């Protein structure tokens, strides 16, 4: 497991958006752009993939501590911060859902007499079953 995998798993587990990750990194005076951040979360075979270095992950973890626990002067409860993030994600998901419509799409009509697609033909084996004797009778 490399740093990119750890970073991805933390992002999903804590339900963090890109803007929140950038804010967390700015808590420890580490500046990073959104395109550079997205490069960490790409697939390894993607041309814009970038390896997440130890320094980036270290600064993210230090910033995450400050984000969740707060500072000595202003302590926070970590579970309150996590639940607030979860509520924000849930509210955002509810508001961005497109309205559902019961009307059929344009150009298509539905009736009881529509034909259903036929079942696919059975798979034909290209290679015959072979019996190996391996010197046995």
């Amino acid at each position: 497991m490399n740093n990119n995998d750890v970073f991805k798993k933390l992002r999903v587990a804590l339900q963090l958006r890109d803007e929140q990750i950038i804010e967390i990194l700015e808590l420890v005076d580490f500046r990073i752009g959104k395109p550079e951040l997205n490069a960490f979360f790409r697939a390894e075979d993607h041309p814009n993939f970038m390896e997440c270095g130890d320094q980036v992950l270290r600064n993210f973890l230090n910033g995450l501590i400050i984000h969740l626990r707060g500072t000595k002067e202003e302590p926070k409860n970590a579970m309150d911060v996590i639940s607030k993030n979860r509520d924000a994600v849930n509210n955002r998901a509810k508001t961005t859902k497109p309205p559902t419509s019961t009307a059929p799409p344009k150009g298509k009509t539905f009736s009881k007499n529509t034909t259903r697609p036929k079942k696919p033909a059975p798979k034909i084996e290209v290679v015959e079953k072979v019996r190996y004797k391996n010197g046995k009778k």
Side-chain angles (χ1 to χ4, degrees), residues 16 19-20 36 43 61 65 73 84 89 98 114 116 129:
L16 297 173
E19 295 83 21
Q20 290 175 319
E36 189 177 3
L61 292 173
I65 290 170
E73 295 81 27
K84 190 166 96 175
V89 168
T114 57
R116 294 184 182 173
K129 293 184 180 180

Side-chain angles (χ1 to χ4, degrees), residues 2 6 11 13 32 37 42 76 79 85 88 100 117 121 123 126 135:
N2 59 17
V6 173
R11 178 185 184 192
I32 191 170
L37 182 66
R42 296 188 187 278
K76 299 179 188 176
M79 291 309 294
N85 280 348
T100 57
K123 204 172 195 180
V126 178

